[in-house]
């Protein structure tokens, strides 16, 4: 089972940081009995591992070597793989760079490493044999990809950052079998890489006869890529009294000095 983590974005909305936004310290985790800062991307990675992922592919760009150093030893039982995206030109271009690693029979999980969401077992709520989206209610769906479902839970349309979104339920992560991943990659190439956003590609996939499903199992979703989102994430974690479980063995062996601090914070 493969997890894909697109981490090549510049993070311009929250710069200057001096390090990759995916390593932004948000909340904490336990290293034995000691509380340590937790990089925001760990929340996604941990949720992937909880669903059974044994390989995690980080899509990174130039200047993202700190992500490679942070996850080089893997995470818990999952091995880390790193693939380069020369230019951050969209989510589709990022995730399909992992295509050579995907076998048709395995399950693929995809999420965004600068988000924090609940429940922690969200990926487990999605079926392995279909393209399915984990959905969350938000106050401003026009900032996200709103997912319109029919009464049976099938996706009718994804409204990409649409001002008059028909629903406040947006996708926050998704899962699919490898064969559908390859079908989507082939369609993206047929469309000459037209789709920057995954939502527009899925709309084309649906128009061509494909199927996708949405699962309204999400309870909270925060984009930590802005300062407002960062503050909201801290409040969310505090209100849930969240300290991530004991540091996985492989991560515990790394030098914790690589965990960055925000500008103006002490080391």
């Amino acid at each position: 089972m493969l997890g894909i983590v697109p981490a090549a974005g510049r993070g311009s909305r929250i710069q200057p940081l001096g390090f990759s936004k995916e390593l932004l310290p948000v909340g904490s985790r336990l290293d034995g009995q000691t509380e340590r800062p937790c990089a925001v991307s760990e929340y996604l990675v941990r949720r992937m591992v909880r669903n059974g992922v044994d390989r995690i592919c980080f899509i990174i760009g130039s200047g993202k070597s700190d992500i490679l150093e942070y996850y080089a030893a893997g995470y818990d039982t999952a091995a880390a793989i790193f693939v380069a995206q020369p230019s951050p030109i969209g989510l589709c271009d990022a995730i399909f760079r992992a295509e050579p690693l995907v076998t048709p029979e395995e399950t693929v999980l995809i999420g965004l490493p600068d988000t924090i969401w609940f429940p922690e077992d969200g990926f487990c709520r999605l079926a392995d044999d279909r393209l399915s989206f984990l959905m969350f209610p938000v106050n401003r769906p026009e900032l996200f990809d709103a997912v319109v479902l029919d009464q049976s839970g099938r996706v009718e349309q994804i409204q990409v950052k649409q001002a008059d979104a028909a629903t406040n339920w947006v996708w926050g992560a998704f899962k699919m079998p490898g064969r559908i991943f390859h079908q989507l990659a082939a369609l993206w190439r047929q469309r000459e890489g037209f789709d920057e956003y995954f939502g527009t590609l899925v709309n084309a996939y649906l128009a061509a006869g494909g199927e996708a499903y949405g699962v309204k199992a999400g309870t909270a979703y925060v984009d930590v890529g802005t300062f407002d989102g960062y503050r909201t994430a801290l409040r969310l974690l505090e209100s849930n009294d969240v300290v991530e479980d004991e540091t996985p063995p492989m991560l515990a062996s790394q030098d914790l000095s690589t965990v960055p601090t925000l500008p103006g914070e002490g080391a």
Side-chain angles (χ1 to χ4, degrees), residues 13 138-146 159-163 165 170 197 221 223 226:
R13 296 175 300 167
V138 298
N139 292 327
R140 299 189 61 189
E142 71 274 11
L143 301 178
F144 303 92
D145 287 4
Q159 299 177 336
V160 179
K161 296 176 173 58
Q162 187 169 308
V170 304
Y197 299 107
Y221 182 85
D223 175 1
T226 66

Side-chain angles (χ1 to χ4, degrees), residues 109-202:
L109 282 64
I110 300 170
L112 304 178
D114 56 355
T115 63
I116 297 176
W117 46 260
F118 292 92
E120 294 184 41
D121 66 348
F123 277 119
C124 303
R125 313 286 183 97
L126 304 179
D128 291 346
D129 62 350
R130 60 184 66 177
L131 171 59
S132 54
F133 293 90
L134 182 62
M135 296 171 57
F136 300 83
V138 298
N139 292 327
R140 299 189 61 189
E142 71 274 11
L143 301 178
F144 303 92
D145 287 4
V147 183
V148 180
L149 305 179
D150 66 14
Q151 292 183 347
S152 65
R154 285 188 175 89
V155 177
E156 291 185 333
Q157 181 188 23
I158 295 184
Q159 299 177 336
V160 179
K161 296 176 173 58
Q162 187 169 308
D164 56 345
T167 175
N168 70 323
W169 285 88
V170 304
W171 71 258
F174 51 99
K175 181 197 287 191
M176 73 188 87
R179 59 179 178 80
I180 293 182
F181 183 88
H182 288 292
Q183 291 171 9
L184 288 167
L187 177 60
W188 180 69
R189 289 192 295 271
Q190 289 172 13
R191 290 164 62 81
E192 298 182 346
F194 166 80
D195 303 283
E196 176 182 358
Y197 299 107
F198 191 68
T200 62
L201 178 64
V202 171

